[in-house]
């Protein structure tokens, strides 16, 4: 059994969150992870209120366990989703790709547990000041929008920066990696890429196949020049984008290339125009299985690795 400040705070069995992957993490995936004892999270991404509302209602119908909603703060609909989570009595809110300070008062008054994703010590300290309940420290091994630091460098610094419980994210697909972050002071983990292989993960089969076949060097980061670095699979799209980026394409041209690319990957499996977000751990994700089997496998590995960690100490 694993018990940490996170399992206690949320009333869940395992300190494992499923990351809020835009266009991917729907009510079905989130409910499956919550039913397995972790915390499933619905991603709002760039979706409008009605879409997210439908997924929240779906999750409520599929589980009576807590689940969360992730708000992508660069979304034009972020304000609407910030209100929606209050109206729908969502238990946990995570945020990404920005600073959620302006919403904190309303969320705390509504009794929501707020757990922002941070990629720097400064943001961790700010989130503590404005009332965050815990933090997710996400290293640049992760898929999607990435910060500068790796998980092994970031997590202990975030742990030392505040007294809040810290979950680690980025570069975690198995129990050994989860245990490594616990040794750095994390008391929970968040995984995204591993859940792309879940039976309940409703992505285009081309996307799933790409993840299952990926090797160690299969991801790359694009978008640094426009200030939105994003890790994705090294597809024709990613190569074309990188080429444009480093051959003087205008910001408008890059914007045009990027617009709608996440949806095209997830819904259409379009390798030429879609952006297949993935963490570096894709190479370790080799079979399709249920969300429950994924949660149980990682938690068993975490427990065994932590127990075995004393073997060199005499
Ligand atoms: O948010 C993510 N990962 C994401 S969001 C996303 S959707 C997207 N679509 C188009 C362009 C960009 C993204 C895909 N993947 N992870 C959490 C995360 N948040 N990582 C890093 C941060 C972060 C970065 C800056 C958090 C706070 C922050 O603050 C900056 C500031 O000072 O406002």
């Amino acid at each position: 059994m694993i018990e940490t400040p996170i399992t206690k705070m949320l009333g869940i069995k395992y300190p494992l969150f499923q990351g809020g992957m835009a266009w991917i993490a729907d009510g079905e995936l989130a409910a499956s992870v919550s039913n397995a004892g972790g915390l499933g999270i619905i991603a709002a991404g760039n979706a409008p209120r009605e879409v997210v509302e439908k997924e929240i209602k779906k999750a409520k119908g599929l589980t009576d366990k807590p689940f969360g909603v992730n708000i992508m703060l660069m979304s034009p609909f972020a304000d609407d989703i910030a209100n929606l989570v209050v109206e729908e009595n969502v238990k946990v809110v995570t945020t990404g790709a920005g600073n959620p300070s302006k919403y904190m008062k309303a969320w705390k008054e509504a009794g929501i547990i707020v757990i922002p994703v941070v990629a720097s010590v400064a943001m961790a300290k700010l989130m503590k000041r404005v009332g965050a309940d815990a933090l997710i420290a996400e290293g640049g091994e992760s898929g999607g929008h990435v910060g500068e630091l790796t998980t092994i460098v970031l997590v202990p610094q975030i742990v030392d920066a505040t007294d809040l419980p810290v979950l680690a994210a980025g570069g975690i697909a198995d129990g050994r990696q989860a245990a490594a972050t616990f040794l750095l002071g994390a008391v929970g983990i968040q995984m995204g890429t591993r859940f792309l292989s879940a039976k309940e993960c409703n992505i285009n089969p081309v996307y799933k196949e790409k993840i299952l076949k990926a090797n160690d060097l299969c991801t790359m980061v694009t978008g640094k020049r426009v200030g939105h670095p994003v890790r994705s699979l090294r597809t024709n799209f990613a190569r074309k984008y990188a080429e444009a980026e480093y051959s003087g394409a205008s910001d408008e041209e890059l914007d045009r290339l990027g617009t709608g690319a996440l949806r095209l990957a997830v819904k259409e499996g379009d390798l030429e125009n879609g952006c297949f977000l993935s963490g570096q751990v894709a190479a370790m994700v080799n079979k399709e299985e249920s969300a429950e089997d994924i949660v149980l496998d990682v938690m068993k590995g975490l427990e065994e690795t932590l127990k075995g960690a004393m073997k060199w100490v005499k």
Side-chain angles (χ1 to χ4, degrees):
M1 200 179 100
I2 302 254
E3 199 178 77
T4 78
I6 288 297
T7 56
K8 284 187 229 164
M9 180 189 295
L10 302 180
I12 57 179
K13 189 166 178 199
Y14 299 117
L16 187 162
F17 290 11
Q18 158 254 312
M21 301 167 281
W23 291 101
I24 298 173
D26 59 10
E28 184 187 351
L29 180 64
S32 312
V33 173
S34 289
N35 282 332
L39 187 81
I41 295 179
I42 294 166
N46 270 318
R49 184 192 153 100
E50 313 79 73
V51 173
V52 183
E53 190 175 346
K54 201 170 125 221
E55 297 305 322
I56 292 173
K57 291 192 178 352
K58 195 192 289 172
K60 283 179 177 169
L62 292 171
T63 185
D64 51 12
K65 301 237 163 37
F67 63 88
V69 170
N70 172 262
I71 306 186
M72 208 282 277
L73 295 164
M74 282 163 49
S75 163
F77 302 108
D79 286 354
D80 293 347
I81 310 298
N83 290 329
L84 175 67
V85 293
V86 172
E87 289 162 32
E88 287 291 327
N89 253 315
V90 170
K91 179 158 181 172
V92 184
V93 165
T94 65
T95 62
N99 174 357
S101 294
K102 68 171 173 170
Y103 305 120
M104 291 300 269
K105 186 165 171 286
W107 288 343
K108 294 317 300 169
E109 276 170 15
I112 294 175
I113 296 172
V114 185
I115 311 185
V117 175
V118 297
S120 70
V121 166
M123 189 52 77
K125 288 182 172 163
L126 175 61
M127 291 301 101
K128 162 76 185 174
R129 268 205 308 283
V130 296
D133 296 285
L135 300 168
I136 301 169
E138 186 183 271
E141 298 94 324
S142 69
H145 183 75
V146 287
E148 197 60 45
L149 300 175
T150 58
T151 300
I152 199 168
V153 171
L154 180 68
V155 170
Q157 294 190 66
I158 301 295
V159 166
D160 289 347
T162 80
D163 56 1
L164 295 174
V166 174
L167 297 101
I172 306 174
D174 75 7
R176 295 169 300 176
Q177 290 162 324
T181 70
F182 271 55
L183 296 183
L184 301 172
V187 290
I189 58 156
Q190 173 167 279
M191 296 195 307
T193 304
R194 174 94 191 248
F195 284 111
L196 293 177
S197 70
K199 290 197 173 105
E200 300 88 347
C201 182
N202 299 306
I203 53 177
N204 187 287
V206 170
Y207 200 153
K208 209 169 266 192
E209 199 57 23
K210 277 291 204 188
I211 295 292
L212 297 178
K213 295 270 163 66
N215 68 26
D216 54 346
L217 300 177
C218 64
T219 72
M220 62 191 281
V221 174
T222 54
K224 278 196 169 167
R225 207 198 82 198
V226 286
H228 301 305
V230 164
R231 182 178 297 285
S232 68
L233 292 178
R234 194 183 292 279
T235 57
N236 278 347
F237 169 81
R239 286 198 192 92
K240 271 190 291 189
Y241 189 100
E243 212 172 281
E245 189 172 22
Y246 293 108
S247 64
S250 67
D251 286 6
E252 292 71 34
E253 273 172 79
L254 291 175
D255 264 359
R256 197 158 3 91
L257 265 178
T259 302
L262 298 187
R263 196 196 67 80
L264 281 174
V266 176
K267 301 293 178 197
E268 316 292 334
D270 182 342
L271 290 165
E272 296 303 319
N273 306 298
C275 182
F276 293 70
L277 298 183
S278 167
Q280 288 183 325
V281 293
M284 298 173 69
V285 181
N286 298 315
K287 63 170 190 276
E288 188 175 45
E289 55 195 334
S290 70
E292 181 179 23
D293 285 347
I294 293 172
V295 171
L296 296 181
D297 175 63
V298 176
M299 288 298 104
K300 181 162 166 273
L302 169 63
E303 208 170 315
E304 283 172 6
T305 311
L306 286 178
K307 280 187 185 153
M310 284 298 289
K311 79 174 170 188
W312 306 115
V313 182
K314 298 293 175 221

